[in-house]
Amino acid sequence: MYRRGITGSLDSKRIICSAAFVLAGALLLGGCRKEETALVRQHKAEREELLIWAYYETNAQRDGMDALVRDFNQSQNRYTAAWEYVPMTGFAKGLTSAYTEDALPDMAILDNPDMPGLIQLGMFEDITDEALEWNLEEEYYSALVNTVEYQGKYYGVPFNCNNTALIYNQKMLEEEGIEPPETWEELRQAAAALTKEGRSGFLLCGMEGEQGAFQLLSWVLAAGGDAEAAFAFLEQMLEDGSLPANCINLTQTDLSLEFINEKAAMMQNGPWVFPALEEAGISYGVIPIPGEKAGAAVAGGENIGILKGKNRKGSLAFLTYCVEQGGLEKFCEKAQVLPARISSAREYIKTRKNMEVFEEQMHEAVVRTSIDAWPSVSKDLTEGLYELVAGEKTAGEIGEKIKLKFIH
């Protein structure tokens, strides 16, 4: 009994000692964890935050932006970038409003024709020294560089580029024995033959704002700048019933949804719709916009710039990552859009044959800021289509109002 009692007492002592050791270790470890958490918090607090505004709305574009800011944040330990979605409609106005309210982001990724006007308002930082180092004039599509240059200085970097083409459902054309159209008359005949109950032969975006104007300008260019001829052709398509009147209410994303749901056989759209088409299993083809004149493409895409008075040093670090460390190319890979750097775009299309048409068109594409009084012309284009649909004006009357004058 005595021996067992002593044994029990020794076991108890061992247990107590072990417990004390574990408790001490836990306290020590807990203290370390607290200290580590505090260090992490301090480390995070030491990072300067950078905010980017962008209007990207497709899943591929959002994934691209998420990956871009994540990779930048992991590439260094001084800045933490984040991006915020702002609707495309009224994006430029939103920037000017934020400017007056002192609520600007550090950077903005915006439609290239919106940038020159904001540069002239003094909203973007001069990054001429960096732009010269990055050889913007030699390495990027010239039309795009024009939208970030003002009076010999540079205020941003072309981020990516695109234009529109005719995208058609291969199965539908094959079923009707129709070859992809190359002229307006062929397009009109094909669209009429492809129009069925619940299906339009052709769709374009004619909604008010920059999306509609971006698409409609291609038809005016395809007519050699003759707006009357372009609207007369669209009027014929409306009368045939192959171009539905509700095109004035459809966004470019809406067009892709109609196309995916087989409610349209052909559409005017850009490469940003390809991820959705491929996910839906749609077999499609791509050709240039048919027309009376070649070189009807309008350059689209976005520029990125630093807002004046914000974190210039941190924003330059982000731009440097984009330009020098492959950030732009990584974004374009995920978003499935063309890089604005020519060599990168040519490399990109080697494995993406569906992008070849868009890259070829970029070399002669017209940038909207090369058109005198573009904001007014933009408004007249979409108003003209609305008036045509409503029967308020003829193609001749609309053509009299829209006269293209190039300033570059």
Side-chain angles (χ1 to χ4, degrees), residues 222-240:
D226 187 342
E228 179 179 351
F231 278 88
F233 173 69
L234 296 176
E235 186 174 35
Q236 290 178 328
M237 299 273 279
L238 288 164
E239 290 174 353
D240 292 344

Side-chain angles (χ1 to χ4, degrees), residues 14-15 63-65 83 96 103 127 188 191 220 224 241 245 281 287 295 318 343 365 376 378 380 383 386:
R14 287 192 187 102
I15 292 169
D63 288 346
M65 282 302 298
W83 78 282
T96 54
I127 60 166
R188 183 185 179 188
V220 179
I287 57 172
F318 184 82
S343 60
S376 176
S378 172
D380 290 343
E383 280 188 355
Y386 176 86

Side-chain angles (χ1 to χ4, degrees), residues 51-98:
L51 179 61
I52 308 161
W53 278 9
Y55 53 66
Y56 293 133
E57 58 184 20
T58 71
N59 289 335
Q61 289 169 337
R62 288 172 179 267
D63 288 346
M65 282 302 298
D66 289 343
L68 177 59
V69 297
R70 182 193 65 231
D71 292 349
F72 168 73
N73 293 341
Q74 292 175 353
S75 72
Q76 43 73 53
N77 57 15
R78 182 166 181 180
Y79 306 102
T80 298
W83 78 282
E84 184 177 299
Y85 169 75
V86 177
M88 183 178 186
T89 304
F91 189 93
K93 288 182 180 178
L95 280 175
T96 54
S97 296

Side-chain angles (χ1 to χ4, degrees), residues 69-255:
V69 297
R70 182 193 65 231
D71 292 349
F72 168 73
N73 293 341
Q74 292 175 353
S75 72
Q76 43 73 53
N77 57 15
R78 182 166 181 180
Y79 306 102
T80 298
W83 78 282
E84 184 177 299
Y85 169 75
V86 177
M88 183 178 186
T89 304
F91 189 93
K93 288 182 180 178
L95 280 175
T96 54
S97 296
Y99 179 74
T100 59
E101 296 168 7
D102 195 25
L104 284 170
D106 296 284
M107 290 165 278
I109 298 172
L110 67 162
D111 202 14
N112 56 51
D114 286 336
M115 197 158 188
L118 297 178
I119 290 172
Q120 292 177 42
L121 289 175
M123 289 185 62
F124 285 97
E125 287 279 357
D126 178 350
I127 60 166
T128 302
D129 290 343
E130 292 77 14
L132 292 174
E133 285 184 19
W134 295 332
N135 296 319
L136 293 191
E137 291 286 353
E138 292 79 21
E139 296 192 18
Y140 291 72
Y141 294 105
S142 60
L144 306 178
V145 176
N146 288 337
T147 66
V148 299
E149 184 270 334
Y150 179 62
Q151 293 183 343
K153 295 187 176 183
Y154 300 89
Y155 297 85
V157 175
F159 193 63
N160 63 79
C161 60
N162 57 60
N163 47 73
T164 63
L166 187 73
I167 302 173
Y168 60 89
N169 185 304
Q170 287 182 322
K171 181 182 175 183
M172 291 180 184
L173 266 67
E174 288 171 2
E175 287 176 346
E176 297 294 331
I178 296 172
E179 292 294 322
E182 296 181 1
T183 66
W184 279 3
E185 185 54 36
E186 288 179 2
L187 175 59
R188 183 185 179 188
Q189 292 177 9
L194 290 163
T195 300
K196 308 289 183 183
E197 182 68 31
R199 185 178 83 190
S200 302
F202 172 68
L203 267 182
L204 58 73
C205 165
M207 70 175 297
E208 181 183 3
E210 205 59 28
Q211 284 192 44
F214 175 57
Q215 292 216 353
L216 291 170
L217 179 59
S218 286
W219 300 94
V220 179
L221 294 175
D226 187 342
E228 179 179 351
F231 278 88
F233 173 69
L234 296 176
E235 186 174 35
Q236 290 178 328
M237 299 273 279
L238 288 164
E239 290 174 353
D240 292 344
S242 54
L243 173 63
N246 76 329
C247 65
I248 60 175
N249 300 316
L250 300 177
T251 66
Q252 294 178 129
T253 300
D254 293 333
L255 301 188

